[in-house]
Amino acid sequence: MEKKPHFLRREFPPREVSSVSLALLLAAVLLLNALLYLYLNKFYTSSGRAETDPSLCPFGYFRLGAVKNCSPWLSCEAINREVRKLKRVGEGAVKKVFLSEWKENKVVLSQLTNSELKEDFLHGLKMLKALQSKHVVRLLGYCEQQFTILTEYHPLGSLRGLNETLHIPKYKGMNTWHRRLMLAIDYVSIIRYLHSSPLGTLVMCDSNDLDKVLSQYLLTSDFHILVNDLDALPLVNRSAGRLVKCGHRELRGEFVAPEQRWPYGEEVPFEDDLMPPYDEKTDIWKIPDVSNFLLGHVEGSDIVRLHLFDIHAACKKKDPAERPSAQEVLDTYRKVLTLLIREAAMPGTREML
């Protein structure tokens, strides 16, 4: 009988292979974490979300476009002489807004609409000057005597048009859970900034419904968010016993916080003098609704919502004192972004370890 050749098969110790694989995997994880740290550090500090911005000029000055030098805020005379209106692009209760031109740069000129609301207009100007930062639209000049404000132009307009913008072929690549979550982080960063501003704790009062909230913010060409309208920004001062009320009319609907609604039932007619004041936690109540809009309905957005479920539930606590601070919400959003980027970069890592 012919003998079949006998081939020797070399067996590698399984423990040795497992150890090498595990070592390689751990090295990859460490490398990923290092890259992730560098990316997120860049995102938080240099992508336009830092509290201070080295590109900002000293107080009273601005830099526009590719110009390297800072220019002083334009005066009444300079605005009248150098700024040319192109067309009206919007009008609200307080201001009418014109797309304009200054030295071949597109700019925005806002003018008072109703003389009865000049105090609101001047308050907005005061806030705009005092809060200049990476969170706030850039001020270029103003004229108090003529109730005129000049600001930087952002062609993508307000946040209300976000979904329409993301359907434009040029921007479809931005329509991802990752980019949308970064927008939500921008929004919460602005709320955190207002709650701990140089002026004290400020409440975003022009926020009685989602559409109104979105109209207060601008979408920049590099897909970040700036707050644009600061006309209704009262100050909370707990130590002095100062709380706020957003206007003098009754507020209704689930979008506004419970403490903003008339507490005495339908049988008692609304009276502004009887309406209890409240604090900045009204802004926290609205965060989940605004974030839900910003996250949209793209692949992965439901996973983001799942990770944010607990913090959003806390934002919706009926008792304002039980709601988290804007800083706590922001910290959670950033942790979720870090976690999801890590999982997206190395799917299955947890199971392999």
Side-chain angles (χ1 to χ4, degrees), residues 13 54 213 260:
V213 171
Q260 293 184 280

PDB file of all heavy atoms in Angstrom, residues 13 54 213 260:
ATOM      1  N   PRO A  13       1.501  28.599  19.368  1.00  0.00           N
ATOM      2  CA  PRO A  13       0.813  28.684  20.662  1.00  0.00           C
ATOM      3  C   PRO A  13      -0.258  29.774  20.615  1.00  0.00           C
ATOM      4  O   PRO A  13       0.038  30.919  20.288  1.00  0.00           O
ATOM      5  CB  PRO A  13       1.934  29.066  21.643  1.00  0.00           C
ATOM      6  CG  PRO A  13       3.208  28.765  20.927  1.00  0.00           C
ATOM      7  CD  PRO A  13       2.941  28.870  19.483  1.00  0.00           C
ATOM      8  N   PRO A  54      -7.846  84.789  19.136  1.00  0.00           N
ATOM      9  CA  PRO A  54      -6.689  85.626  18.830  1.00  0.00           C
ATOM     10  C   PRO A  54      -6.887  86.501  17.603  1.00  0.00           C
ATOM     11  O   PRO A  54      -6.189  87.485  17.428  1.00  0.00           O
ATOM     12  CB  PRO A  54      -5.554  84.602  18.621  1.00  0.00           C
ATOM     13  CG  PRO A  54      -6.243  83.303  18.364  1.00  0.00           C
ATOM     14  CD  PRO A  54      -7.523  83.358  19.114  1.00  0.00           C
ATOM     15  N   VAL A 213     -36.467  81.190  18.225  1.00  0.00           N
ATOM     16  CA  VAL A 213     -35.109  80.896  18.699  1.00  0.00           C
ATOM     17  C   VAL A 213     -34.136  80.821  17.521  1.00  0.00           C
ATOM     18  O   VAL A 213     -33.077  81.461  17.524  1.00  0.00           O
ATOM     19  CB  VAL A 213     -35.069  79.568  19.481  1.00  0.00           C
ATOM     20  CG1 VAL A 213     -33.625  79.157  19.770  1.00  0.00           C
ATOM     21  CG2 VAL A 213     -35.831  79.687  20.782  1.00  0.00           C
ATOM     22  N   GLN A 260     -42.544  79.898  33.050  1.00  0.00           N
ATOM     23  CA  GLN A 260     -42.871  81.063  32.223  1.00  0.00           C
ATOM     24  C   GLN A 260     -44.375  81.150  31.912  1.00  0.00           C
ATOM     25  O   GLN A 260     -44.812  82.146  31.343  1.00  0.00           O
ATOM     26  CB  GLN A 260     -42.089  81.009  30.904  1.00  0.00           C
ATOM     27  CG  GLN A 260     -40.588  81.176  31.058  1.00  0.00           C
ATOM     28  CD  GLN A 260     -39.891  81.209  29.715  1.00  0.00           C
ATOM     29  OE1 GLN A 260     -39.648  80.184  29.090  1.00  0.00           O
ATOM     30  NE2 GLN A 260     -39.582  82.408  29.245  1.00  0.00           N
TER      31      GLN A 260
END
